[in-house]
C-alpha cells in the first residue's frame, strides 16, 4: 500500500502543468526564456493568467496527495514520504524524461498540508526578499533556506524536519544556474527582460 501511495504521489507530481498551460495558451515554456516549466518562466512567456494557473496547478500537485492521506490518519513518516514523492515528480517528471521545474510551488502545496505555519514563514521571507530585490530566484532560494529552521522551531515531527532539509537542498540544487548568475551580478529582476525587449525593438 505504501508503494502505491508513493507512486501515485510521484505520478501526480510529474504532471507538467506549465507545459499543459502553455499549450492551452499557444506557447511552450521550454522553448523560451529560461526554458523552465515553472510559474516564473510561464509568466515571462504567457503572462499573469498563465502563470497563476501554473502556480495553482503545481501547488495542488503537492497539496492533494498529502492532504488526502493525512485525513486518513497516516503517521508523519508516511506523510513525509508521500510529500517527497510529489516534490520529486515536479522536478524529475517521468512525462518529461525526468526533467521538470524547480519544485518551489509544489513544495508550498506539500507544506500547506503538512505544517502551514513553517511554510507561512517561508512565504513571508519570499515576499520580503522579492520586495527588497525584485529577483524571484533569490526570493525562492531565501524561502527554501528559511524553511528548515522554521520547521525545526515549530517542533514538527522528525520526519518533517528531514523532509524540509531534503527539499530545501534540492530546491537550491535546481537553482544552481541562478546562484551562479547571482554571484556574477547577472540575474534579471522582475520586468528587466521586458525592458531589454523594448530596447532591442527600438534599436
Amino acid at each position: 500500500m505504501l508503494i502505491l501511495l508513493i507512486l501515485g504521489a510521484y505520478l501526480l507530481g510529474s504532471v507538467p502543468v506549465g507545459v499543459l498551460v502553455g499549450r492551452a495558451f499557444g506557447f511552450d515554456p521550454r522553448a523560451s526564456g529560461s526554458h523552465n516549466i515553472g510559474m516564473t518562466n510561464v509568466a515571462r512567456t504567457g503572462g499573469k493568467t498563465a502563470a497563476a494557473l501554473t502556480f495553482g496547478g503545481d501547488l495542488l500537485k503537492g497539496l492533494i496527495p498529502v492532504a488526502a492521506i493525512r485525513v486518513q490518519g497516516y503517521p508523519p513518516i508516511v506523510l513525509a514520504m508521500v510529500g517527497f514523492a510529489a516534490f520529486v515528480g515536479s522536478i524529475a517528471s517521468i512525462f518529461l524524461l525526468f526533467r521538470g521545474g524547480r519544485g518551489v510551488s509544489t513544495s508550498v502545496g506539500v507544506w500547506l498540508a503538512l505544517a502551514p505555519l513553517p511554510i507561512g514563514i517561508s512565504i513571508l521571507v519570499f515576499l520580503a526578499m522579492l520586495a527588497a530585490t525584485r529577483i524571484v530566484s533569490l526570493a525562492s532560494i531565501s524561502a527554501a533556506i528559511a524553511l528548515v529552521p522554521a520547521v525545526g522551531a515549530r517542533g514538527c515531527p522528525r520526519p518533517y524536519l528531514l523532509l524540509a532539509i531534503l527539499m530545501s537542498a534540492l530546491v537550491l540544487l535546481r537553482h544552481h544556474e541562478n546562484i551562479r548568475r547571482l554571484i556574477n551580478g547577472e540575474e534579471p529582476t522582475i520586468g528587466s527582460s521586458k525592458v531589454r525587449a523594448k530596447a532591442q525593438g527600438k534599436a
Side-chain angles (χ1 to χ4, degrees), residues 89-109:
S90 72
I91 64 174
S93 170
I94 192 172
F95 304 118
L96 299 177
L97 300 179
F98 301 103
R99 297 179 181 179
R102 294 189 172 92
V104 175
S105 300
T106 300
S107 67
V108 171

Side-chain angles (χ1 to χ4, degrees), residues 123-144:
I123 290 173
L124 289 177
V125 170
F126 174 90
L127 293 174
M129 187 61 69
L130 185 62
T133 67
R134 296 182 61 80
I135 301 177
V136 175
S137 62
L138 181 57
S140 298
I141 291 167
S142 300

Side-chain angles (χ1 to χ4, degrees), residues 8-47:
Y10 171 75
L11 290 175
L12 181 59
S14 290
V15 175
V17 176
V19 175
L20 297 178
V21 170
R23 287 179 182 173
F25 280 76
F27 69 92
D28 187 345
R30 297 170 295 178
S32 61
S34 65
H35 309 295
N36 190 270
I37 65 170
M39 174 188 68
T40 303
N41 194 48
V42 169
R44 294 191 189 106
T45 310

